[in-house]
Amino acid sequence: MRTALVTAVAGAVVAFLLGLLTFGVQATVHPHDVPLAVVAPPPIAERVRAADSPEVDIRVVGADEARILLADREVYGVLEIAASGATIRLNPAVNPSGTQVAQQVLTGVAQGAGLPVRAEAPAVSAADRTAPLAASALLWIGGMVAGVLFVVLKGGRFRLVSSLGAAVLTVGSVVGLLAWWGVSFTGAAVAFLFAVAGAFALLQAGLFKHLGIRAMGILGLLYLMAPAVAGQVPELLNPAYKVALWSWTPFRFSTEGLRALLHDGAISTEWWVFAGIAVVGLVLVLAGQKTQPDRPDGVVDVGVDQADGLPGAERQHTA
């Protein structure tokens, strides 16, 4: 009876936590301080400033500054107002959720000023919008499956070969899959995929080495909760989720970095993040090398004869 109650409570607790960490992110989405830029003559600029609200952060700037802000992904959209009408400029390297909010708000601003409005942005296919997050998740799964199989199949001393081999092959499969969907890759984007896959695989291999199959409790939870956060922009997240999850999840860095590189953008922080993850993973893999294969339950056979665990057994003999 006690076991039945414990397992029932455990199931309910796990369901609550997973709901809180996954679906709760999407259920609490609401825009706040979404950065936008507006280029307008002085009379209209004052009306635009008056339209500011807690949901958006509208900056009235010059045309050159606005385009720089958009190229650097400092704002999610730019509204340029002239006597002939208004133009909304969007950057495909910005998270689609952010550009959607930007277009809706800026369209409302232009219509409020009584001006015809048109949107100007490079065409982005559904595959291009899906690719960054999909690639991040698939690279994580590839390394995780290789790591857990290495434990289950009692792999020997070639864990590093397994993890790096899985990273290379997974990148190949992901690039092939996305190319089939019609996504075009730059050389920098492919190099970044290798960096992400290698970092993921090394970290996972290190955890599997020291925790055995129990590492799935950590890696599986990260996979379930991280994509729901990484697919959002921080200005749409509940502040609690932004601090507790979005601020550190590696899926966020891989998704944003790949999206920028697919659209000829530049990144810097993301390279350092995955270099750091790779170093941590490599240290875990190389620390305390074991000479015997792992067991799936994480227990290492230390070579003690069964009889040695039975007091006096070795002294039992027939006269």
Side-chain angles (χ1 to χ4, degrees):
M1 183 64 179
R2 179 179 179 182
T3 301
L5 291 176
V6 170
T7 54
V9 171
V13 170
V14 170
F16 175 81
L17 291 176
L18 287 179
L20 183 66
L21 297 175
T22 55
F23 298 108
V25 175
Q26 300 173 355
T28 57
V29 165
H30 181 73
H32 56 88
D33 296 323
V34 176
L36 305 171
V38 174
V39 180
I44 299 179
E46 293 302 323
R47 293 168 58 185
V48 169
R49 288 192 181 94
D52 205 359
S53 69
E55 285 76 23
V56 295
D57 177 18
I58 298 178
R59 312 177 192 180
V60 180
V61 296
D64 292 338
E65 183 181 356
R67 300 195 183 202
I68 292 174
L69 290 172
L70 185 62
D72 292 342
R73 292 171 287 152
E74 295 292 330
V75 295
Y76 295 150
V78 172
L79 177 65
E80 295 185 358
I81 297 177
S84 57
T87 302
I88 296 174
R89 302 188 186 280
L90 304 171
N91 184 352
V94 174
N95 189 303
S97 298
T99 57
Q100 183 179 13
V101 173
Q103 186 166 1
Q104 291 174 348
V105 173
L106 294 177
T107 298
V109 172
Q111 292 175 343
L115 296 171
V117 59
R118 66 184 181 91
E120 182 180 289
V124 179
S125 67
D128 285 322
R129 290 193 294 268
T130 305
L133 182 56
S136 301
L138 293 174
L139 294 178
W140 182 267
I141 291 173
M144 185 169 62
V145 170
V148 72
L149 286 178
F150 192 89
V151 174
V152 172
L153 299 178
K154 301 180 180 180
R157 294 172 294 174
F158 300 101
R159 187 186 303 275
L160 190 59
V161 174
S162 172
S163 60
L164 295 180
V168 172
L169 295 176
T170 303
V171 169
S173 66
V174 168
V175 170
L177 182 62
L178 298 185
W180 181 38
W181 294 347
V183 178
S184 300
F185 284 89
T186 63
V190 174
F192 184 67
L193 285 177
F194 277 110
V196 173
F200 281 171
L202 287 172
L203 177 63
Q204 291 164 337
L207 291 176
F208 277 120
K209 174 182 176 179
H210 293 280
L211 299 178
I213 202 72
R214 291 169 295 183
M216 282 297 297
I218 299 174
L219 301 176
L221 180 61
L222 286 174
Y223 172 72
L224 288 173
M225 71 180 187
V229 180
Q232 300 289 345
V233 292
E235 289 81 9
L236 299 183
L237 290 172
N238 181 287
Y241 284 116
K242 178 181 176 180
V243 174
L245 299 180
W246 182 87
S247 62
W248 61 268
T249 175
F251 284 84
R252 159 220 166 179
F253 294 100
S254 59
T255 300
E256 292 180 351
L258 182 58
R259 181 179 291 112
L261 293 174
L262 287 177
H263 298 285
D264 298 321
I267 59 173
S268 58
T269 303
E270 289 82 356
W271 290 108
W272 289 106
V273 167
F274 289 103
I277 293 175
V279 169
V280 171
L282 186 60
V283 170
L284 289 174
V285 171
L286 298 179
Q289 286 284 7
K290 299 174 183 177
T291 59
Q292 297 182 5
D294 296 329
R295 289 174 52 176
D297 58 4
V299 178
V300 179
D301 185 359
V302 295
V304 179
D305 190 276
Q306 184 177 6
D308 293 338
L310 301 175
E314 71 280 5
R315 292 190 296 273
Q316 295 178 3
H317 57 275
T318 57

